[in-house]
Amino acid sequence: MDQAQNLRNIIKQINQTEAGQARIITVTSGKGGVGKTSVSINLAIQFRKQGKSVIIFDADFGLANIEVMFGAIPKYNLSDMIYRGKSIKDIIVKGPMDIGFISGGSGINGLGNLGYDQINYLVYKLRELESLTDIIIVDTGAGISDSVLGFVASGSEVLLIATPEPTSITDAYALLKALNAKAGFESDNTIIHVIANRVSSHEEGVNLYNKLNVVVSKFLNIKLNFLGIVPKDDNLGRAVMQQKPVSLIYPNSTASKHFAALASELMNDEAYVEEKKNKGLASAILKMLKNKEKKTDS
């Protein structure tokens, strides 16, 4: 039995099982430096304040932004679980407020080279992860690499971070254009929320969203939802310098209050209905592998 058939069998098996309980939220951006990881971490803190358990899956290969902000260096990563037999609990590092995070390490880029037994093991362990927490935040890399598009296309709930700079808006559109053309992306089953970061006012955030949405509506088969803003706040810069999340060290700051509002909006989001809820991180990664197989076969 070849690798493609093995993968199809695993996908069939996982599709016949119940979804993991964790809600999967994928955070992405068209370019780097727009505050994507800051959004991931601060939303995780706000979810914790609402009583939810959270694990951040750091899918930004090669960078260590989350561990720097958490002040914790992971001893093990996804590769250690796949290749060296570490348990899912071994690779979870605890940050502030008991928020967990997992470093993807080189495991993400090596997913396409996994054997049948390794894929089975990965799926089993990721299913276990989904039973350990309420929310998994997938912090992707920036841009339109295969791994970024794979995670975004496989998720059912996406947060797209953009700033008012023209390059940020242009690159956000480039990401959505590449996503729209990617095999396996189902626009009808994907909620894409736009968060306008580092804006001067709510009006500027709406203006950013409208600029992006007008071209997306015209040229792409994608629907966007404006979730809200994170305003410019000097406390954000101070928090970065201290390598601490602003929601922790400046909880009454303007930025922290907006992160709290965004988290509440997500928790109360009526568009997040059960029929659109994905089957979890394991299914997302399997879809990535399946799409890679299709690409290889074509």
Side-chain angles (χ1 to χ4, degrees), residues 45-85:
I45 291 169
Q46 298 300 336
F47 287 140
R48 284 292 295 128
K49 290 182 177 181
Q50 295 185 27
K52 301 296 181 181
S53 58
V54 187
I55 293 174
I56 302 175
F57 186 89
D58 188 356
D60 195 351
F61 175 72
L63 297 177
N65 294 335
I66 291 178
E67 60 195 67
V68 169
M69 291 291 288
F70 275 180
I73 300 175
K75 186 176 181 180
Y76 304 113
N77 58 40
L78 189 65
S79 293
D80 294 298
M81 188 186 76
I82 297 172
Y83 300 109
R84 286 172 280 280

Short mmCIF file of all heavy atoms in Angstrom, two decimals, residues 45-85:
data_model
loop_
_atom_site.label_atom_id
_atom_site.label_comp_id
_atom_site.label_asym_id
_atom_site.label_seq_id
_atom_site.Cartn_x
_atom_site.Cartn_y
_atom_site.Cartn_z
N ILE A 45 -4.60 35.08 26.82
CA ILE A 45 -4.73 35.59 28.19
C ILE A 45 -6.18 35.97 28.48
O ILE A 45 -6.72 35.67 29.56
CB ILE A 45 -3.79 36.78 28.41
CG1 ILE A 45 -2.34 36.30 28.39
CG2 ILE A 45 -4.10 37.50 29.73
CD1 ILE A 45 -1.33 37.42 28.32
N GLN A 46 -6.82 36.64 27.54
CA GLN A 46 -8.21 37.06 27.74
C GLN A 46 -9.15 35.85 27.80
O GLN A 46 -10.11 35.86 28.59
CB GLN A 46 -8.63 38.03 26.64
CG GLN A 46 -7.83 39.33 26.59
CD GLN A 46 -7.93 40.14 27.87
OE1 GLN A 46 -8.89 40.02 28.64
NE2 GLN A 46 -6.94 40.99 28.11
N PHE A 47 -8.87 34.82 27.01
CA PHE A 47 -9.67 33.60 27.10
C PHE A 47 -9.51 32.95 28.48
O PHE A 47 -10.47 32.45 29.06
CB PHE A 47 -9.26 32.59 26.01
CG PHE A 47 -9.71 32.96 24.62
CD1 PHE A 47 -8.87 32.77 23.53
CD2 PHE A 47 -10.97 33.49 24.38
CE1 PHE A 47 -9.28 33.09 22.25
CE2 PHE A 47 -11.39 33.82 23.10
CZ PHE A 47 -10.54 33.62 22.03
N ARG A 48 -8.27 32.97 29.00
CA ARG A 48 -8.03 32.43 30.34
C ARG A 48 -8.82 33.21 31.39
O ARG A 48 -9.35 32.62 32.34
CB ARG A 48 -6.54 32.46 30.67
CG ARG A 48 -5.72 31.41 29.99
CD ARG A 48 -6.03 30.00 30.49
NE ARG A 48 -5.67 29.81 31.88
CZ ARG A 48 -6.50 29.34 32.81
NH1 ARG A 48 -7.75 29.03 32.51
NH2 ARG A 48 -6.08 29.17 34.05
N LYS A 49 -8.89 34.51 31.23
CA LYS A 49 -9.64 35.33 32.18
C LYS A 49 -11.12 35.01 32.14
O LYS A 49 -11.84 35.27 33.10
CB LYS A 49 -9.40 36.82 31.88
CG LYS A 49 -7.99 37.30 32.23
CD LYS A 49 -7.83 38.79 31.96
CE LYS A 49 -6.45 39.27 32.38
NZ LYS A 49 -6.25 40.72 32.14
N GLN A 50 -11.56 34.44 31.01
CA GLN A 50 -12.95 34.01 30.90
C GLN A 50 -13.14 32.56 31.34
O GLN A 50 -14.21 31.99 31.17
CB GLN A 50 -13.43 34.19 29.45
CG GLN A 50 -13.48 35.63 28.99
CD GLN A 50 -14.07 35.79 27.60
OE1 GLN A 50 -14.88 34.97 27.16
NE2 GLN A 50 -13.69 36.84 26.91
N GLY A 51 -12.07 31.99 31.88
CA GLY A 51 -12.18 30.64 32.43
C GLY A 51 -11.89 29.51 31.46
O GLY A 51 -12.11 28.34 31.79
N LYS A 52 -11.36 29.84 30.27
CA LYS A 52 -11.06 28.81 29.28
C LYS A 52 -9.60 28.38 29.38
O LYS A 52 -8.72 29.21 29.62
CB LYS A 52 -11.33 29.33 27.86
CG LYS A 52 -12.77 29.78 27.62
CD LYS A 52 -13.74 28.62 27.75
CE LYS A 52 -15.17 29.06 27.48
NZ LYS A 52 -16.12 27.93 27.62
N SER A 53 -9.36 27.11 29.20
CA SER A 53 -7.98 26.64 29.11
C SER A 53 -7.51 26.81 27.66
O SER A 53 -8.28 26.62 26.72
CB SER A 53 -7.87 25.18 29.53
OG SER A 53 -8.70 24.35 28.74
N VAL A 54 -6.23 27.19 27.50
CA VAL A 54 -5.71 27.55 26.17
C VAL A 54 -4.33 26.96 25.96
O VAL A 54 -3.48 26.98 26.87
CB VAL A 54 -5.64 29.07 25.99
CG1 VAL A 54 -5.26 29.42 24.54
CG2 VAL A 54 -6.94 29.76 26.37
N ILE A 55 -4.09 26.47 24.76
CA ILE A 55 -2.75 26.08 24.32
C ILE A 55 -2.48 26.77 22.98
O ILE A 55 -3.31 26.74 22.08
CB ILE A 55 -2.62 24.55 24.16
CG1 ILE A 55 -2.73 23.86 25.52
CG2 ILE A 55 -1.30 24.18 23.47
CD1 ILE A 55 -2.75 22.34 25.44
N ILE A 56 -1.32 27.40 22.88
CA ILE A 56 -0.90 28.03 21.62
C ILE A 56 0.03 27.07 20.89
O ILE A 56 1.02 26.61 21.45
CB ILE A 56 -0.17 29.36 21.86
CG1 ILE A 56 -1.08 30.33 22.63
CG2 ILE A 56 0.25 29.99 20.53
CD1 ILE A 56 -0.39 31.64 23.01
N PHE A 57 -0.31 26.76 19.66
CA PHE A 57 0.53 25.92 18.82
C PHE A 57 1.34 26.84 17.92
O PHE A 57 0.79 27.49 17.03
CB PHE A 57 -0.35 24.97 17.98
CG PHE A 57 0.42 23.96 17.19
CD1 PHE A 57 0.74 22.73 17.74
CD2 PHE A 57 0.81 24.22 15.89
CE1 PHE A 57 1.44 21.78 17.00
CE2 PHE A 57 1.50 23.29 15.15
CZ PHE A 57 1.82 22.06 15.71
N ASP A 58 2.64 26.95 18.18
CA ASP A 58 3.50 27.88 17.45
C ASP A 58 3.92 27.26 16.13
O ASP A 58 4.86 26.47 16.06
CB ASP A 58 4.72 28.23 18.30
CG ASP A 58 5.56 29.33 17.68
OD1 ASP A 58 5.22 29.77 16.56
OD2 ASP A 58 6.54 29.77 18.31
N ALA A 59 3.22 27.63 15.06
CA ALA A 59 3.50 27.10 13.73
C ALA A 59 4.35 28.06 12.91
O ALA A 59 4.45 27.92 11.69
CB ALA A 59 2.18 26.81 13.00
N ASP A 60 4.98 29.03 13.58
CA ASP A 60 5.85 29.99 12.90
C ASP A 60 7.26 29.44 12.94
O ASP A 60 8.07 29.80 13.79
CB ASP A 60 5.77 31.35 13.60
CG ASP A 60 6.36 32.46 12.75
OD1 ASP A 60 6.97 32.15 11.71
OD2 ASP A 60 6.21 33.64 13.12
N PHE A 61 7.56 28.56 12.00
CA PHE A 61 8.82 27.83 12.00
C PHE A 61 10.01 28.78 11.90
O PHE A 61 10.02 29.70 11.09
CB PHE A 61 8.85 26.84 10.83
CG PHE A 61 10.16 26.12 10.68
CD1 PHE A 61 10.53 25.17 11.60
CD2 PHE A 61 11.01 26.43 9.64
CE1 PHE A 61 11.74 24.50 11.47
CE2 PHE A 61 12.22 25.78 9.51
CZ PHE A 61 12.59 24.81 10.42
N GLY A 62 11.01 28.54 12.74
CA GLY A 62 12.26 29.30 12.66
C GLY A 62 12.29 30.53 13.55
O GLY A 62 13.34 31.12 13.74
N LEU A 63 11.16 30.94 14.08
CA LEU A 63 11.12 32.10 14.97
C LEU A 63 10.68 31.65 16.36
O LEU A 63 10.08 30.61 16.54
CB LEU A 63 10.16 33.16 14.42
CG LEU A 63 10.55 33.76 13.07
CD1 LEU A 63 9.49 34.74 12.61
CD2 LEU A 63 11.91 34.45 13.14
N ALA A 64 11.01 32.48 17.34
CA ALA A 64 10.73 32.10 18.73
C ALA A 64 10.00 33.22 19.46
O ALA A 64 10.26 33.49 20.63
CB ALA A 64 12.04 31.76 19.44
N ASN A 65 9.07 33.87 18.77
CA ASN A 65 8.40 35.03 19.36
C ASN A 65 7.60 34.68 20.61
O ASN A 65 7.61 35.43 21.60
CB ASN A 65 7.48 35.69 18.33
CG ASN A 65 8.27 36.29 17.18
OD1 ASN A 65 9.43 36.64 17.33
ND2 ASN A 65 7.62 36.43 16.03
N ILE A 66 6.90 33.57 20.57
CA ILE A 66 6.04 33.21 21.70
C ILE A 66 6.88 32.87 22.92
O ILE A 66 6.61 33.35 24.02
CB ILE A 66 5.11 32.04 21.33
CG1 ILE A 66 4.07 32.51 20.31
CG2 ILE A 66 4.41 31.49 22.57
CD1 ILE A 66 3.13 31.44 19.83
N GLU A 67 7.92 32.09 22.74
CA GLU A 67 8.73 31.73 23.91
C GLU A 67 9.46 32.94 24.48
O GLU A 67 9.68 33.01 25.70
CB GLU A 67 9.72 30.62 23.56
CG GLU A 67 10.70 30.93 22.46
CD GLU A 67 11.38 29.67 21.95
OE1 GLU A 67 10.71 28.83 21.33
OE2 GLU A 67 12.60 29.55 22.15
N VAL A 68 9.81 33.91 23.64
CA VAL A 68 10.42 35.14 24.15
C VAL A 68 9.42 35.91 25.00
O VAL A 68 9.73 36.37 26.10
CB VAL A 68 10.93 36.02 22.99
CG1 VAL A 68 11.32 37.40 23.49
CG2 VAL A 68 12.14 35.36 22.32
N MET A 69 8.19 36.04 24.49
CA MET A 69 7.15 36.77 25.23
C MET A 69 6.77 36.04 26.52
O MET A 69 6.39 36.67 27.51
CB MET A 69 5.92 36.96 24.36
CG MET A 69 6.12 37.91 23.20
SD MET A 69 6.33 39.62 23.74
CE MET A 69 4.68 40.02 24.28
N PHE A 70 6.85 34.72 26.51
CA PHE A 70 6.51 33.93 27.69
C PHE A 70 7.69 33.79 28.64
O PHE A 70 7.53 33.37 29.78
CB PHE A 70 6.02 32.54 27.28
CG PHE A 70 4.55 32.48 26.95
CD1 PHE A 70 3.97 31.30 26.56
CD2 PHE A 70 3.75 33.61 27.04
CE1 PHE A 70 2.60 31.22 26.25
CE2 PHE A 70 2.41 33.56 26.74
CZ PHE A 70 1.83 32.37 26.35
N GLY A 71 8.89 34.10 28.15
CA GLY A 71 10.06 33.95 28.99
C GLY A 71 10.35 32.50 29.34
O GLY A 71 10.85 32.19 30.42
N ALA A 72 10.03 31.60 28.41
CA ALA A 72 10.23 30.17 28.65
C ALA A 72 10.76 29.51 27.38
O ALA A 72 10.19 29.68 26.31
CB ALA A 72 8.91 29.51 29.07
N ILE A 73 11.86 28.81 27.50
CA ILE A 73 12.46 28.13 26.35
C ILE A 73 12.02 26.67 26.35
O ILE A 73 12.26 25.95 27.32
CB ILE A 73 14.00 28.22 26.39
CG1 ILE A 73 14.45 29.68 26.37
CG2 ILE A 73 14.61 27.45 25.22
CD1 ILE A 73 15.94 29.86 26.54
N PRO A 74 11.35 26.22 25.27
CA PRO A 74 10.88 24.83 25.26
C PRO A 74 12.03 23.84 25.18
O PRO A 74 12.97 24.02 24.40
CB PRO A 74 10.02 24.78 23.98
CG PRO A 74 10.54 25.88 23.12
CD PRO A 74 10.99 26.95 24.05
N LYS A 75 11.96 22.82 25.99
CA LYS A 75 12.98 21.77 25.97
C LYS A 75 12.75 20.85 24.79
O LYS A 75 13.69 20.32 24.20
CB LYS A 75 12.94 21.00 27.29
CG LYS A 75 14.05 19.97 27.44
CD LYS A 75 14.00 19.32 28.82
CE LYS A 75 15.14 18.31 28.98
NZ LYS A 75 15.12 17.66 30.32
N TYR A 76 11.47 20.63 24.46
CA TYR A 76 11.12 19.74 23.36
C TYR A 76 10.12 20.43 22.44
O TYR A 76 9.43 21.37 22.83
CB TYR A 76 10.50 18.44 23.89
CG TYR A 76 11.37 17.70 24.88
CD1 TYR A 76 10.99 17.58 26.22
CD2 TYR A 76 12.57 17.12 24.48
CE1 TYR A 76 11.78 16.91 27.13
CE2 TYR A 76 13.37 16.44 25.38
CZ TYR A 76 12.97 16.34 26.71
OH TYR A 76 13.76 15.69 27.62
N ASN A 77 10.03 19.94 21.19
CA ASN A 77 9.07 20.48 20.25
C ASN A 77 8.37 19.34 19.50
O ASN A 77 8.52 18.17 19.86
CB ASN A 77 9.75 21.45 19.27
CG ASN A 77 10.89 20.80 18.50
OD1 ASN A 77 10.81 19.65 18.08
ND2 ASN A 77 11.98 21.53 18.32
N LEU A 78 7.62 19.70 18.47
CA LEU A 78 6.83 18.71 17.73
C LEU A 78 7.70 17.59 17.17
O LEU A 78 7.30 16.42 17.15
CB LEU A 78 6.06 19.40 16.60
CG LEU A 78 5.03 18.57 15.85
CD1 LEU A 78 3.89 18.17 16.77
CD2 LEU A 78 4.49 19.35 14.65
N SER A 79 8.90 17.95 16.72
CA SER A 79 9.80 16.93 16.18
C SER A 79 10.16 15.87 17.22
O SER A 79 10.27 14.68 16.90
CB SER A 79 11.09 17.59 15.67
OG SER A 79 10.84 18.40 14.55
N ASP A 80 10.35 16.31 18.46
CA ASP A 80 10.69 15.36 19.52
C ASP A 80 9.55 14.38 19.77
O ASP A 80 9.78 13.22 20.12
CB ASP A 80 11.02 16.11 20.81
CG ASP A 80 12.29 16.94 20.69
OD1 ASP A 80 13.35 16.34 20.45
OD2 ASP A 80 12.21 18.17 20.80
N MET A 81 8.31 14.84 19.59
CA MET A 81 7.18 13.95 19.76
C MET A 81 7.08 12.95 18.60
O MET A 81 6.84 11.76 18.80
CB MET A 81 5.88 14.75 19.86
CG MET A 81 4.67 13.90 20.24
SD MET A 81 3.12 14.83 20.19
CE MET A 81 2.84 14.93 18.42
N ILE A 82 7.32 13.44 17.39
CA ILE A 82 7.17 12.58 16.21
C ILE A 82 8.31 11.57 16.10
O ILE A 82 8.09 10.39 15.85
CB ILE A 82 7.12 13.44 14.92
CG1 ILE A 82 5.88 14.35 14.93
CG2 ILE A 82 7.09 12.54 13.68
CD1 ILE A 82 5.87 15.35 13.80
N TYR A 83 9.53 12.05 16.29
CA TYR A 83 10.70 11.22 15.99
C TYR A 83 11.39 10.61 17.21
O TYR A 83 12.13 9.65 17.09
CB TYR A 83 11.74 12.04 15.21
CG TYR A 83 11.23 12.58 13.91
CD1 TYR A 83 10.98 13.94 13.75
CD2 TYR A 83 11.00 11.73 12.83
CE1 TYR A 83 10.53 14.44 12.54
CE2 TYR A 83 10.53 12.23 11.61
CZ TYR A 83 10.30 13.59 11.48
OH TYR A 83 9.84 14.09 10.29
N ARG A 84 11.16 11.20 18.40
CA ARG A 84 11.91 10.76 19.56
C ARG A 84 11.03 10.29 20.71
O ARG A 84 11.49 10.16 21.85
CB ARG A 84 12.87 11.87 20.01
CG ARG A 84 14.06 12.01 19.05
CD ARG A 84 14.91 13.21 19.35
NE ARG A 84 14.34 14.43 18.83
CZ ARG A 84 14.43 14.82 17.56
NH1 ARG A 84 15.08 14.06 16.68
NH2 ARG A 84 13.90 15.96 17.15
N GLY A 85 9.76 10.05 20.42
CA GLY A 85 8.89 9.38 21.37
C GLY A 85 8.45 10.18 22.57
O GLY A 85 7.94 9.60 23.54
#
